[in-house]
Amino acid sequence: MGRDLYDNFGVARAVFDEADEALGFALSKVIFDGPEEELKLTEHTQPAILTVSVAAARVLAERGVAPAFAAGHSLGEYSAHVAAGTLGFADAVRTVRARGQYMQQAVAPGVGAMAAILGLSAELIETICEQVTDELTPLPNSAEAKTFSANSAVVAAANLNSPEQTVISGAAGAVVRAADLCKQAGAKRAVMLQVSAPFHCALMQPAQDALANDLKAIVFGDPGIPVAANVSAAFVTSGAAAKEALVQQVTGAVRWVECVQLLIAQGVTQFIEVGPGKVLSGLMRQIDREQTMLNVDNSAALEKTLAALAG
């Protein structure tokens, strides 16, 4: 992941070196050499993905490709803001490492879960999640209410990824129940995900509070280009709004379909996914197949993307 960019572009190599210096350890070595168990730790995965994404974006910038708008899915919103000049890369990479640690610490292993629901409308999924929370919550004056923890009834839509795919997140029992009801309601599939924590739901409140405290100390400038915020599916154009959106995002849903539709409504027809993999490219095919979707995660993909833009 990212090795080709590191080996072939000085501007990309500088990003990896800056990450290592900012974090005080050789993140680049973990990215390139593993072990895989270390890279899978969310405190390493988050800065690793950010680093590769920013490296790819800077290679594009060096070739004269300047975005008119930016958006990022979950963690990717930080990459979008680095590209927009809202905050410096060193601050961003330190922040997302802490973000990963806070998320891991917020919920004990096994307590939370996430599931991907395929082939059911987001509106119906949200209704089912609300139904499960109501179902699991005892009446205020009942005997069960005395020992009840509201966290055990948390389940909500976390990632509204495409018209075909919504991910739900929350307490393990509530997620299993909601996934089962989604299947009964006609979902094509309901797949439990292998995740380290239940992201983008109310169980992440401790992580959100800790991250908010960290972000207070970081200077945010106004974005140089509009950035679509996950939590509101609206553009943020000030540093203060960008910071608040990144805080709220921890417990809020990633409204990705609406973010993409927001960009399309502004006349955007060419999208470039920067960083490892082509997950967003796959989602775009489900959202709007008419759009041109390109990607950059290595030198071959870069040349292909530059040729497509030139053509």
Side-chain angles (χ1 to χ4, degrees):
M1 183 172 73
R3 187 65 194 243
D4 178 272
L5 295 173
Y6 180 91
D7 288 342
N8 288 295
F9 304 99
V11 69
R13 191 155 48 250
V15 174
F16 285 92
D17 292 345
E18 187 177 353
D20 291 350
E21 184 177 349
L23 295 174
F25 73 95
L27 175 69
S28 58
K29 189 174 188 307
V30 178
I31 295 172
F32 300 145
D33 303 327
E36 192 174 346
E37 295 73 30
E38 282 288 304
L39 188 56
K40 281 183 175 178
L41 294 173
T42 190
E43 66 185 81
H44 292 155
T45 307
Q46 295 203 26
I49 292 172
L50 174 76
T51 298
V52 177
S53 300
V54 170
R58 289 192 175 166
V59 169
L60 270 174
E62 189 178 51
R63 294 296 193 93
V65 179
F69 300 90
H73 187 289
S74 188
L75 166 71
E77 195 167 329
Y78 286 83
S79 301
H81 278 297
V82 173
T86 316
L87 78 165
F89 172 66
D91 281 333
V93 79
R94 283 190 292 263
T95 299
V96 301
R97 183 176 188 232
R99 178 180 184 266
Q101 291 170 330
Y102 298 149
M103 287 177 160
Q104 196 65 67
Q105 294 162 3
V107 180
V111 171
M114 299 182 77
I117 311 299
L118 308 180
L120 200 65
S121 74
E123 292 77 18
L124 182 51
I125 293 168
E126 289 173 328
T127 298
I128 288 171
C129 287
E130 291 169 5
Q131 176 187 329
V132 170
T133 296
D134 288 344
E135 187 181 285
L136 295 176
T137 304
L139 294 171
N141 297 321
S142 65
E144 294 89 344
K146 294 175 183 176
T147 57
F148 172 71
S149 167
N151 283 351
S152 66
V154 169
V155 61
N159 300 337
L160 290 86
N161 288 334
S162 79
E164 286 293 307
Q165 182 193 118
T166 298
V167 174
I168 61 174
S169 180
V175 170
V176 169
R177 174 64 176 152
D180 185 54
L181 289 177
C182 286
K183 283 190 283 188
Q184 291 179 38
K188 292 176 186 174
R189 293 179 69 197
V191 183
M192 299 302 295
L193 302 178
Q194 294 297 315
V195 292
S196 57
F199 305 122
H200 298 292
C201 75
L203 297 182
M204 288 288 110
Q205 190 63 51
Q208 180 166 305
D209 294 342
L211 184 69
N213 195 52
D214 287 357
L215 288 175
K216 281 179 188 174
I218 297 174
V219 175
F220 276 54
D222 293 339
I225 54 175
V227 177
N230 287 182
V231 74
S232 64
F235 289 123
V236 292
T237 55
S238 73
K243 187 180 293 190
E244 182 61 20
L246 290 173
V247 171
Q248 296 301 322
Q249 182 214 73
V250 180
T251 59
V254 176
R255 295 166 59 182
W256 187 247
V257 176
E258 292 170 89
C259 286
V260 172
Q261 291 170 339
L262 176 69
L263 295 168
I264 293 170
Q266 296 299 310
V268 176
T269 57
Q270 293 177 318
F271 295 78
I272 305 176
E273 179 174 5
V274 294
K278 295 183 181 179
V279 172
L280 301 184
S281 299
L283 295 179
M284 179 62 85
R285 285 194 293 273
Q286 297 177 22
I287 297 170
D288 189 339
R289 297 184 71 89
E290 299 300 312
Q291 305 306 316
T292 298
M293 193 75 199
L294 306 167
N295 80 292
V296 175
D297 59 0
N298 57 42
S299 52
L302 171 69
E303 293 309 320
K304 188 176 179 182
T305 291
L306 292 173
L309 292 174

